[in-house]
Amino acid sequence: MIAVIDETTIESGKGFIYVIASVAIIEDATLAQMTLAGVTQGRQRPFHWVKEGPEARQRMVAAVDQLGAIAAGFQQGCGRRGQDKTRSILLADALLWAVGEGADGVIIESRGRKLDVQD
């Protein structure tokens, strides 16, 4: 099983809410890649939820559902300067959840070369 982890922050009042979502795909990784590639086939840019319209989002949801995925979300409030620490805590929680669900591999969305090394 493979788990995929993504993150976002939401500005809220005087601070932020840091959110990490983890999705564990129950089918094998090769089938998952083929299924998800069918959603993004022929595109010029990668799929990114916030940049997609409702039809593309629905196609992705249907593909993930077809794979028998399960998901968990983790969130915590923080200030502007506390985002890295909060991210580390939530990322650890998401990884523990994924391993507990039986994931033997994890893909974390890239944040760029420099931050990927940190991750």
Side-chain angles (χ1 to χ4, degrees):
M1 179 190 318
I2 192 163
V4 181
I5 295 177
D6 194 7
E7 65 189 284
T8 191
T9 56
I10 303 163
E11 202 161 349
S12 175
K14 296 180 181 179
F16 294 87
I17 300 172
Y18 209 102
V19 180
I20 290 186
S22 182
V23 176
I25 298 175
I26 296 175
E27 299 290 337
D28 68 73
T30 302
L31 177 59
Q33 288 173 331
M34 289 176 15
T35 301
L36 297 175
V39 175
T40 60
Q41 190 172 18
R43 294 171 54 111
Q44 295 297 315
R45 64 177 173 78
F47 183 95
H48 197 283
W49 188 264
V50 298
K51 296 179 181 178
E52 303 301 330
E55 292 175 10
R57 287 181 181 185
Q58 185 53 44
R59 285 192 306 273
M60 184 60 76
V61 168
V64 171
D65 187 49
Q66 175 186 341
L67 290 168
I70 55 175
F74 307 88
Q75 61 84 27
Q76 182 175 321
C78 63
R80 182 174 304 279
R81 294 184 184 174
Q83 291 183 60
D84 284 339
K85 182 177 180 182
T86 300
R87 181 182 184 281
S88 293
I89 292 166
L90 295 177
L91 188 55
D93 290 345
L95 290 168
L96 287 172
W97 173 83
V99 169
E101 292 297 327
D104 52 9
V106 177
I107 297 171
I108 301 173
E109 183 184 32
S110 175
R111 298 191 304 156
R113 286 186 189 163
K114 191 174 185 179
L115 292 174
D116 287 350
V117 171
Q118 179 181 327
D119 287 346

